């Protein structure tokens, strides 16, 4: 250590006595030719060549009574399961690098990533992702699928509501000192069954088959200099649906399939630095196309939609350090959607009856301008004040409200000076206004003229947030976050009139001793809203009060040091609960009444116990037991024929226990 200090003094003297350094004290400009650096160079900063990382295999057993458990356990397979995981890297002296990462390959949810190349020159990547989501198993339906035909039957058809997504990707990147080119291609598939519904002539819920692919292609080139960079890129996406329109034996094409579509965009972006001022921007233009055949019905003059939307997007941002205490910034964003789709005269339907008059469909355009300015001022060491103003202007053609303006004024105060405390406070006031609200007969002729859609209506919002981190000792850390927001729709007579959202989160991290670590967390959120409605197509005569509550609790312990520091035991536990209550206050009768309107309730307990035993420095065994208890009840889920004249998918609520035991072996490469 003494020799290190002496050489640092020598370096300081050399810097101070060099004339070239009088105006520039950058380390990169130091004249160190006369300094003997051999004795203080980093002895641990060595490049590691060869293979590094770990490879693991897992095998176990699932006891699953409901496939919904697969969302938590990684697979819904009942019985034996196996998976492979790895994180392996290779590097040689010439700079060639290879990486292979995998997580739970062999399960329903997993991924793999392979990359190879030479640092700073080229790289080739290969990716695979698999995600499967489960909603319900053995769903009941009295409709059978047969080559696009929904055939009613007296017997019950059983199927799973689940979607499997798989994605393969290939990428290439090549670069030199000042430029870099890249190209990526991926293709993803989505298969399975999801819930859907139609009316023919009564409501029918059924399982809609899903079979679609999405192809994406990205390519670009970027250049960089001492204080600038720029990139020209292309992004393309093509969606293909392999499921055609669905029919009933007595009516053809009663359900329209999701149409094929594609999108393309070319963009130019860049960044530039002048002193302590940074600027970045982006401009992009694109086109979205949808040209599938339409279902032919009486009064439809079009064979296909010939849909086209041209897009234009722009972004510019600047930030500058005016002084060592003051930083200011601002940004502007622009987005336009110009709808060039075909138009024609269509026969009008008034509810379920044909009116006999004609009306032309209207292509809706969209344009948005967003402005933001902000400033940050360091009052003193450890005290910082930030403030900003945001404005968003949106214009929509052929809409209930063609123009809306959202204004937001916010302020943050950060404190870092207090011993063992970090405090962040934020306050915000926001307001939405705009053009005159009209119940346009082009979009809502069958709606109450007093109705205001919540995303278009005038709104006033006030929000507060407090974040605090406290480290009272070197073995305990506490994080606390509280928040409150209130939305008022004072000018709304029919629709959402108010909303309140508040909650808290608390996190504890504890190091009891050198062997025992623990954590705990708790969080709750409440969302209360009120909406007004009318059964008489006039002023409000009923009100709905919706109360949603969410809670998350968790804790965990990890104990090491057993069996000569070879064995580690651990426990993790999580509890979550959500409750939604809706009450309707009805004033249509002489005597007002209050009625509960189908509540929703769910909870989940999940626990994990594990033991990790290190055989030696390279090999380890791990035994894990996982448990899940899940329950939910939704009043909207009823039996197949419980409601006269309506066919449902049955009671698809969940009530189950699931277990998983897994044995894993990990080998560390050195």
């Amino acid at each position: 250590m003494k020799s290190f200090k002496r050489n640092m003094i020598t370096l300081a003297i050399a810097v101070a006595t060099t004339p070239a350094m009088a105006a520039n004290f950058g380390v990169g400009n130091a004249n160190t030719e006369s300094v003997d650096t051999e004795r203080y160079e980093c002895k641990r900063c060595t490049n590691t060549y060869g293979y590094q990382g770990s490879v693991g295999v897992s095998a176990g057993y699932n006891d699953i009574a409901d496939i919904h458990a697969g969302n938590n356990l990684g697979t819904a397979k009942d019985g034996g399961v196996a998976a492979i995981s790895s994180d392996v890297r290779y590097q040689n002296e010439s700079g060639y690098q290879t990486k292979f990462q995998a997580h739970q390959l062999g399960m329903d949810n997993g991924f793999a990533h392979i990359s190879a190349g030479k640092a700073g020159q080229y790289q080739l990547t290969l990716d695979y992702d698999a995600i499967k989501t489960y909603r319900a198993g053995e769903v009941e339906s009295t409709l059978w699928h047969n080559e696009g035909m929904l055939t009613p039957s007296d017997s019950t058809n059983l199927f799973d509501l689940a979607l499997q997504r798989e994605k393969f990707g290939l990428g290439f990147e090549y670069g030199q000192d000042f430029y870099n080119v890249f190209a990526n291609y991926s293709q993803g598939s989505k298969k399975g069954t999801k819930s859907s519904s139609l009316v023919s002539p009564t409501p029918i819920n059924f399982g809609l088959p899903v079979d679609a692919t999405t192809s994406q292609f990205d390519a670009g080139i970027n250049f960089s200099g001492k204080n600038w960079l720029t990139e020209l890129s292309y992004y393309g996406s093509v969606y293909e649906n392999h499921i055609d329109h669905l029919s009933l034996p007595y009516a053809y094409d009663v359900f329209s399939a999701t149409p094929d579509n594609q999108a393309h965009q070319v963009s130019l972006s860049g960044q530039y630095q002048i002193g302590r001022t940074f600027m970045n921007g982006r401009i992009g233009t694109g086109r979205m196309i949808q040209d599938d055949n339409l279902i032919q019905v009486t009064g439809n003059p079009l064979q296909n939609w010939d849909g086209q939307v041209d897009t234009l997007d722009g972004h510019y941002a600047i930030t500058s350090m005016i002084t060592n205490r003051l930083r200011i910034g601002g940004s502007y964003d622009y987005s336009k959607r110009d709808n060039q789709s075909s138009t024609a005269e269509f026969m009008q339907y008034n509810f379920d009856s044909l009116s006999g008059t004609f009306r032309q469909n209207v292509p809706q355009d969209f344009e948005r301008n967003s402005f933001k300015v902000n400033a940050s001022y360091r009052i003193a060491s450890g005290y910082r004040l930030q403030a900003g103003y945001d404005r968003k202007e949106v214009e929509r053609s052929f809409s209930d409200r063609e123009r809306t303006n959202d204004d937001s004024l916010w302020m943050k105060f950060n404190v870092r000076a207090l011993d063992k405390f970090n405090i962040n406070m934020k306050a915000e006031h926001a307001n939405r206004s705009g053009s005159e609200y009209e119940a346009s007969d082009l979009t809502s002729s069958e709606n109450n003229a007093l109705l205001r859609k919540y995303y278009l209506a005038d709104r006033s919002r006030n929000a507060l947030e407090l974040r605090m981190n406290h480290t009272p000792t070197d073995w305990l850390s506490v994080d606390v976050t509280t928040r409150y927001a209130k939305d008022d729709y004072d000018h709304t007579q029919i629709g959402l009139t108010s909303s309140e959202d508040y909650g808290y989160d608390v996190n504890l991290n504890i190091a009891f001793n050198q062997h025992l670590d623990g954590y705990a967390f708790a969080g709750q959120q409440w969302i209360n809203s009120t909406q007004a409605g009318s059964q008489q197509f006039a002023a409000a005569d009923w009100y709905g009060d919706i109360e949603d509550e969410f809670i998350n609790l968790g804790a965990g312990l990890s104990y090491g040091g057993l069996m000569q520091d070879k064995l580690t035991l651990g426990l993790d536990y999580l509890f979550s609960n959500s409750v939604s209550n809706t009450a309707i206050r009805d004033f249509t009768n002489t005597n007002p009444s209050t009625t509960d309107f189908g509540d929703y309730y769910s909870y989940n307990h999940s626990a994990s116990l594990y033991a990790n035993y290190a055989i030696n420095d390279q090999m380890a065994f791990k035994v894990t037991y996982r448990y899940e208890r899940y329950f939910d009840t939704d009043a909207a889920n009823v039996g197949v024929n419980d409601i006269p004249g309506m066919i449902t998918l049955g009671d698809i609520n969940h009530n189950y226990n699931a277990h998983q035991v897994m044995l894993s072996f990990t080998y560390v490469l050195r």
Side-chain angles (χ1 to χ4, degrees):
M1 180 62 70
K2 292 181 179 180
S3 63
F4 176 79
K5 291 182 178 179
R6 283 196 298 270
N7 283 283
M8 289 302 293
I9 294 173
T10 304
L11 176 61
I13 294 174
V15 170
T17 57
T18 303
M21 291 302 297
N24 191 340
F25 294 93
V27 175
N29 295 310
N31 185 353
T32 59
E33 293 181 358
S34 61
V35 180
D36 182 10
T37 60
E38 180 180 354
R39 286 178 293 174
Y40 63 85
E41 66 182 2
C42 180
K43 302 298 183 181
R44 297 182 181 179
C45 302
T46 59
N47 292 323
T48 303
Y49 301 115
Y51 289 95
Q52 282 188 305
S54 62
V55 178
V57 294
S58 304
Y61 184 84
N62 280 349
D63 181 7
I64 294 178
D66 190 319
I67 67 170
H68 188 271
N71 296 316
N72 187 32
L73 300 181
T75 179
K77 182 181 179 181
D78 193 27
V81 293
I84 298 176
S85 299
S86 72
D87 185 2
V88 179
R89 300 173 299 280
Y90 171 81
Q91 180 177 342
N92 61 21
E93 297 181 2
S94 64
Y96 177 79
Q97 299 176 348
T98 302
K99 180 188 293 185
F100 174 68
Q101 293 177 307
H103 176 68
Q104 289 189 340
L105 281 183
M107 308 278 270
D108 292 337
N109 296 276
F111 70 85
H113 169 80
I114 302 174
S115 64
K118 197 169 185 178
Q121 294 187 18
Y122 66 91
Q123 180 171 276
L124 183 68
T125 59
L126 183 64
D127 291 282
Y128 169 77
D129 289 277
I131 301 175
K132 191 167 187 178
T133 54
Y134 302 91
R135 183 180 176 188
E138 296 187 350
V139 176
E140 300 178 356
S141 176
T142 56
L143 294 177
W144 292 77
H145 291 283
N146 183 17
E147 300 294 332
M149 184 69 69
L150 295 173
T151 306
S153 174
D154 293 335
S155 60
T156 302
N157 176 27
L158 298 179
F159 58 91
D160 295 335
L161 285 179
L163 293 175
Q164 174 71 59
R165 298 172 176 88
E166 287 187 299
K167 185 176 182 179
F168 295 88
L170 179 66
F172 177 75
E173 184 176 346
Y174 177 81
Q176 292 296 328
D177 294 336
F178 69 96
Y179 75 93
N180 184 78
V181 296
F182 66 89
N184 302 295
Y185 175 79
S186 66
Q187 181 168 302
S189 64
K190 182 167 66 172
K191 297 182 179 181
T193 305
K194 66 178 182 180
S195 62
S196 191
S197 62
L198 59 88
V199 178
S200 183
T202 58
I204 299 175
N205 294 278
F206 64 96
L208 177 66
V210 176
D211 185 2
T213 58
T214 301
S215 301
Q216 290 181 290
F217 181 76
D218 310 332
I221 182 170
N222 56 67
F223 301 90
S224 60
K226 182 179 179 180
N227 57 354
W228 62 273
L229 61 86
T230 186
E231 178 178 292
L232 178 64
S233 56
Y234 162 80
Y235 303 93
S237 174
V238 177
Y239 171 84
E240 294 180 285
N241 185 12
H242 307 297
I243 300 296
D244 205 351
H245 307 311
L246 299 180
S247 302
L248 290 168
Y250 50 85
Y252 286 96
D253 293 337
V254 295
F255 190 89
S256 176
T258 302
D260 296 348
N261 59 80
Q262 53 183 293
H264 308 272
Q265 185 184 65
V266 177
S267 66
L268 177 65
S269 59
Q271 178 176 306
Y272 189 71
Q273 176 185 353
I274 306 176
R276 296 199 294 181
T277 299
F278 297 85
M279 295 175 287
N280 66 80
R282 175 182 176 273
I283 185 169
T285 179
R287 175 168 293 178
M288 297 183 288
I289 302 171
Q290 179 179 303
D291 195 27
D292 258 9
N293 293 331
L294 296 175
I295 290 179
Q296 296 305 306
V297 297
T298 302
N300 176 19
L302 298 178
Q303 297 294 320
N304 61 339
W305 176 240
D306 191 22
Q308 176 182 310
V309 177
D310 294 332
T311 66
L312 180 63
D313 298 275
H315 167 79
Y316 176 76
I318 182 172
T319 179
S320 181
M321 290 291 297
I322 305 301
T323 68
N324 291 334
R325 292 175 178 267
L326 176 63
R327 184 185 72 243
I328 62 173
S331 66
Y332 170 69
D333 290 271
Y334 177 80
S335 178
K336 184 177 182 180
R337 301 293 182 264
D338 186 10
N339 197 332
Q340 300 291 327
S341 303
S342 58
T343 60
E345 295 286 337
F346 290 86
M347 294 284 288
Q348 285 190 67
Y349 282 85
N350 185 13
F351 291 92
D352 292 329
S353 62
L354 186 65
S355 67
T357 60
F358 287 84
R359 178 173 295 162
Q360 187 179 71
N361 65 301
V362 291
Q364 293 186 330
D365 298 329
F366 173 92
E367 187 174 15
R368 181 179 62 213
N369 292 273
S370 299
F371 310 87
K372 296 181 180 181
V373 292
N374 59 80
S376 175
Y377 184 75
R378 181 169 58 86
I379 303 172
S381 178
Y383 296 88
R384 182 177 295 276
L385 181 66
Q386 302 176 68
Y389 170 71
D390 303 339
R391 180 177 174 85
K392 181 174 67 174
E393 300 175 351
V394 180
E395 189 168 344
R396 312 165 183 85
S397 65
F398 305 108
S399 175
D400 294 306
R401 197 177 202 182
E402 293 196 352
R403 189 178 66 255
T404 57
N405 304 318
D406 287 84
D407 299 280
S408 174
L409 184 64
W410 56 268
M411 182 177 294
K412 296 180 181 180
F413 184 54
N414 305 323
V415 180
R416 299 289 185 272
L418 301 180
D419 186 29
K420 300 179 180 179
F421 273 96
N422 289 330
I423 301 174
N424 298 295
M425 293 177 284
K426 180 181 179 181
E428 179 187 12
H429 173 72
N431 183 71
R432 181 195 295 145
S433 59
S435 60
E436 183 179 356
Y437 198 104
E438 298 179 353
S440 171
D441 58 359
L442 293 174
T443 59
S444 55
S445 60
E446 297 168 0
N447 288 335
N448 191 326
L450 300 177
L451 174 66
R452 298 293 180 264
K453 298 175 181 178
Y454 74 94
Y455 60 90
L456 296 175
D458 288 350
R459 184 198 65 189
S460 177
R461 167 176 291 180
N462 292 288
L464 297 171
E465 183 178 81
L466 172 65
R467 295 177 180 267
M468 183 182 67
N469 171 261
H470 181 41
T471 310
T473 67
D474 58 356
W475 53 269
L476 176 62
S477 175
V478 183
D479 293 285
V480 179
T481 300
T482 61
R483 56 197 174 274
Y484 176 85
K486 177 68 180 295
D487 292 347
D488 289 315
Y489 300 82
D490 294 329
H491 298 155
T492 295
Q493 299 183 50
I494 302 295
L496 184 64
T497 59
S498 67
S499 177
E500 191 177 37
D501 185 346
Y502 57 96
Y504 70 88
D505 293 291
V506 179
N507 294 275
L508 300 176
N509 289 284
I510 309 171
F512 295 100
N513 53 49
Q514 62 177 345
H515 298 301
L516 182 61
D517 295 321
Y519 70 89
F521 65 86
Q524 283 185 275
Q525 182 182 14
W526 294 267
I527 302 176
N528 302 322
S529 57
T530 302
Q531 67 180 42
S534 173
Q535 296 187 52
Q536 307 298 328
F537 211 74
D541 53 28
W542 65 265
Y543 296 88
D545 298 317
I546 302 98
E547 298 179 350
D548 298 324
E549 181 180 353
F550 310 91
I551 183 172
N552 289 284
L553 303 173
L557 289 172
S558 175
Y559 187 83
L562 299 173
M563 300 179 66
Q564 299 179 343
D565 291 336
K566 291 186 176 183
L567 179 63
T568 300
L569 302 178
L571 166 66
D572 296 289
Y573 170 76
L574 171 66
F575 170 76
S576 60
N577 181 68
S578 64
V579 181
S580 179
N581 297 313
T582 301
I584 302 298
R585 292 177 283 128
D586 191 350
F587 294 91
T588 56
N589 299 320
T590 304
N591 298 320
S593 61
T594 300
T595 305
D596 288 336
F597 192 72
D599 298 337
Y600 176 84
Y601 175 77
S602 71
Y603 67 81
N604 172 270
H605 296 272
S606 60
S608 174
L609 298 169
Y610 65 88
N612 195 353
Y613 180 77
I615 302 173
N616 52 41
D617 291 341
Q618 290 185 276
M619 294 184 291
F621 277 106
K622 183 178 182 180
V623 179
T624 306
Y625 167 72
R626 299 177 65 185
Y627 167 77
E628 181 184 25
R629 170 74 177 107
Y630 187 90
F631 173 85
D632 67 7
T633 176
D634 186 350
N637 295 325
V638 297
V640 177
N641 296 307
D642 286 359
I643 301 177
M646 181 177 180
I647 299 176
T648 76
L649 291 178
D651 186 353
I652 55 176
N653 292 315
H654 305 283
N655 183 7
Y656 65 84
N657 295 278
H659 310 266
Q660 182 184 79
V661 178
M662 191 73 71
L663 176 63
S664 304
F665 172 77
T666 303
Y667 182 81
V668 178
L669 304 175
R670 296 185 183 277

